[in-house]
Amino acid sequence: MNQLFVPTEPSARDDAQQAAPVTVAHGDGIGPEIMEACLRVLTAAGARLAIERIEVGQDVYKAGHGAGIAPEAWDSLRRTRVLYKAPITTPQGGGYKSLNVTIRKTLGLYANVRPVSAYAPFVETRHPDMDVVIIRENEEDLYAGIEHRQTDEVYQCLKLITRPGCERIVRHAFAYARAHGRRKVTCFTKDNIMKLTDGLFHRVFDEIAEDYPDIETEHMIVDIGAAMLADTPHAFDVIVVPNLYGDIISDIAAQISGSVGLAPSANLGTDFAMFEAVHGSAPRLAGLDMANPSGLLLAGAMMMAHLGQIRVAERVRNAWARTIEDGVHTFDIYREGRSRRAVGTADFAQAVIDRMGHRPRSLPVARYAAAPAMPAPPPRNRQPARKELVGIDVFVQHVGTTEALADMLRPLGRGRLSLGMISNRGVKVWPDGMPETFCTDHWRCRFTAAGRASIRKADIIDLLSELALHGVDFIKTEHLYTFDGTPGFSVGQGQ
Ligand code: NAD
């Protein structure tokens, strides 16, 4: 029962609603004090919430729960389907899993939505016109956590990008843009280098864009895109990105808007949602009544809209904006001359409560409404491609020269497979390698069908038996397939 946040007139129906069940986690560090402040403001705005409290974070980690969440907390989440979460402290050292990654993956929260605006002239920023929404894919990419040490010198992290994953997040980005009256969606990838994985994300972006002719689209390579976002953020509207790039650029965006303490974040899936601030638990500020509760409060407003309590969301956002306009500021955004009153966490919350029912004078007036459901995983009605096995990349640990390795491997394959190429860290070193290329102990040795278009799995097993017999230290293999005749593997120099 997920919803987007559409700008429309306030709906009367939210007044008739029952209390919405919500799971609340107070977190660590500044978490408890900012959560208390936010719940006070939400209550003053008329939020109808049936709160179930759960413990997450440091104490739970220390009690032996490796992901920072106790098993019974999942029961609450299954009941309420909505989590309002203060930041937690992730303990240092091995053996602890990220609570956020665990929650995102367990609850299928595939979309991380981070609206970042400037609040000039009330909050100092070099980018007064910034108003961008970053929609980050939340489950895939290098965050699968599949890592291996393969040789003495080489470690690997697997980057997984799936078509259904791309389709869901890109469709969500376009649906969000249309629902919010935004004019442009920009996609960042690095598909000039990662032609298959990032290439898929870009291709799906282009495909889905065709269903949204009313929305302008652009694609940028992520390095120049991130640089432009930091330099001219007002040139962007909605940005959709794979997981890792999104992680990095959304923090950059939050920081340059004025303070990391201002930015909210929604993690959305088809059945569950989690709302939190972008920032962490700021342990040094803990217990000092100094932290800015705005990020968590604006996340709370997003949650109220998600729950269909539209007027509450608007009341919170408007009173908050009026407080910021009135110059009532926590230390992180307080500037002599620009601000009027320096306040702590609790007094800031009280200032927002005192302005409940007021609208901002010059900042935009909040307008939220509930909207259609999140896109479910796309149906698997595609015809499977014609998949042909045409070879194998055998990764080998070898200390010695390229020539020695090539001489050892060339006679192998029993006439059915033959050595076509060796590369080291993606650079072709045989045949016709350059003597200057630095080589590690990790070699990719490509065997392809000798004179035949396709091979059988048994040919691969025979090859590997032969390699084992000759003492070749193979540490990993990747099958080479064509899909409808198109290679499903990188080809050519430097890949
Ligand atoms: P942080 O966001 O806690 O702090 C970064 C800087 O921003 C610090 O100077 C801090 O004082 C300041 N800051 C953060 N929130 C603020 C606020 N509301 N008001 C005013 N200033 C604020 O990041 P960190 O120091 O890298 O991480 C601290 C802990 O938080 C770590 O254990 C980390 O793992 C955890 N963390 C948790 C989450 C989460 O639960 N979602 C997110 C990020 C980091």
Side-chain angles (χ1 to χ4, degrees):
M1 205 280 300
N2 272 299
Q3 291 153 340
L4 298 165
F5 320 114
V6 193
T8 67
E9 286 308 312
S11 120
R13 86 191 146 82
D14 63 336
D15 287 333
Q17 275 192 358
Q18 300 289 315
V22 167
T23 302
V24 170
H26 282 61
D28 300 317
I30 59 172
E33 55 205 275
I34 60 173
M35 181 55 88
E36 276 313 314
C38 292
L39 292 177
R40 273 175 56 214
V41 175
L42 294 181
T43 305
R48 291 172 304 285
L49 296 175
I51 290 177
E52 295 186 16
R53 194 169 161 166
I54 59 165
E55 299 302 324
V56 294
Q58 223 167 11
D59 290 347
V60 185
Y61 278 113
K62 286 186 181 148
H65 302 293
I69 179 164
E72 54 274 18
W74 294 110
D75 297 336
S76 171
L77 291 171
R78 276 184 206 106
R79 271 191 302 273
T80 67
R81 293 168 177 259
V82 176
L83 174 61
Y84 189 31
K85 178 181 151 297
I88 62 137
T89 302
T90 314
Q92 300 289 314
Y96 298 115
K97 285 200 283 182
S98 158
L99 173 65
N100 271 14
V101 174
T102 303
I103 290 179
R104 277 181 210 146
K105 290 197 170 172
T106 308
L107 302 184
L109 307 178
Y110 66 83
N112 183 211
V113 179
R114 290 187 177 185
V116 188
S117 314
Y119 303 103
F122 310 103
V123 178
E124 192 173 283
T125 172
R126 270 175 282 162
H127 306 288
D129 300 324
M130 174 174 189
D131 178 18
V132 59
V133 180
I134 295 169
I135 299 189
R136 162 189 170 195
E137 198 291 319
N138 227 4
E139 293 182 297
E140 304 194 340
D141 198 352
L142 288 157
Y143 289 68
I146 306 174
E147 293 192 291
H148 296 95
R149 179 174 179 176
Q150 296 182 330
T151 67
D152 277 333
E153 296 177 344
V154 176
Y155 298 70
Q156 171 190 272
C157 178
L158 213 55
K159 171 164 167 138
L160 290 175
I161 301 276
T162 72
R163 182 169 260 282
C166 295
E167 288 178 354
R168 287 207 292 193
I169 194 68
V170 171
R171 202 164 277 290
H172 178 65
F174 277 102
Y176 182 100
R178 186 179 273 172
H180 288 76
R182 289 187 174 259
R183 69 199 150 75
K184 185 168 79 170
V185 180
T186 306
C187 172
F188 287 174
T189 71
K190 188 81 184 171
D191 67 340
N192 55 334
I193 302 295
M194 283 161 275
K195 295 186 170 135
L196 291 183
T197 48
D198 281 25
L200 175 65
F201 197 94
H202 186 174
R203 202 163 61 246
V204 168
F205 176 76
D206 288 344
E207 286 167 16
I208 290 177
E210 287 180 16
D211 296 342
Y212 295 84
D214 48 320
I215 293 173
E216 192 188 327
T217 59
E218 68 182 346
H219 172 269
M220 287 185 184
I221 299 298
V222 62
D223 39 17
I224 189 62
M228 287 184 65
L229 177 66
D231 186 55
T232 46
H234 54 270
F236 295 94
D237 200 349
V238 173
I239 301 177
V240 64
V241 259
N243 205 344
L244 178 63
Y245 312 141
D247 196 358
I248 297 166
I249 67 163
S250 54
D251 271 26
I252 294 175
Q255 184 65 37
I256 64 174
S257 74
S259 166
V260 75
L262 295 174
S265 153
N267 292 270
L268 307 172
T270 42
D271 297 316
F272 294 90
M274 171 171 79
F275 299 86
E276 62 178 350
V278 164
H279 61 76
S281 60
R284 282 205 217 147
L285 300 177
L288 300 178
D289 187 38
M290 286 175 70
N292 189 346
S294 297
L296 190 60
L297 185 62
L298 296 179
M302 292 172 86
M303 178 179 73
M304 297 317 299
H306 171 84
L307 294 169
Q309 297 185 31
I310 313 303
R311 287 187 176 174
V312 174
E314 292 176 348
R315 272 197 289 271
V316 169
R317 172 96 196 190
N318 285 335
W320 173 85
R322 183 63 172 266
T323 309
I324 296 293
E325 283 184 347
D326 286 349
V328 182
H329 292 168
T330 44
F331 83 97
D332 55 314
I333 55 171
Y334 185 90
R335 296 288 177 278
E336 208 58 59
R338 190 186 295 263
S339 308
R340 295 218 187 97
R341 188 154 70 93
V343 287
T345 311
D347 283 349
F348 181 84
Q350 189 55 49
V352 178
I353 292 167
D354 293 344
R355 287 162 181 76
M356 205 54 75
H358 291 260
R359 292 178 161 213
R361 291 195 183 91
S362 60
L363 290 173
V365 172
R367 295 204 304 164
Y368 293 91
M374 296 277 290
R380 284 213 164 84
N381 55 4
R382 224 170 266 112
Q383 272 296 103
R386 188 170 40 83
K387 188 172 139 196
E388 270 185 280
L389 184 61
V390 296
I392 182 169
D393 278 346
V394 182
F395 292 78
V396 167
Q397 175 162 355
H398 163 76
V399 180
T401 63
T402 313
E403 289 66 33
L405 181 62
D407 288 347
M408 181 163 58
L409 299 180
R410 246 179 335 164
L412 309 182
R414 296 187 179 153
R416 291 200 296 276
L417 283 162
S418 65
L419 180 68
M421 183 263 286
I422 302 176
S423 72
N424 196 294
R425 294 192 303 169
V427 180
K428 190 177 83 168
V429 291
W430 184 91
D432 308 323
M434 305 281 274
E436 292 82 7
T437 305
F438 173 76
C439 292
T440 67
D441 62 357
H442 181 272
W443 310 74
R444 177 183 58 165
C445 308
R446 175 161 292 178
F447 288 84
T448 46
R452 276 199 288 153
S454 64
I455 55 170
R456 297 164 304 134
K457 287 221 172 66
D459 297 329
I460 284 180
I461 293 166
D462 287 349
L463 174 71
L464 295 180
S465 304
E466 218 184 343
L467 293 177
L469 212 62
H470 285 78
V472 177
D473 187 7
F474 59 91
I475 42 90
K476 166 196 152 94
T477 59
E478 286 286 349
H479 293 184
L480 306 180
Y481 288 105
T482 57
F483 291 82
D484 291 332
T486 305
F489 47 90
S490 51
V491 287
Q493 180 79 12
Q495 295 189 25

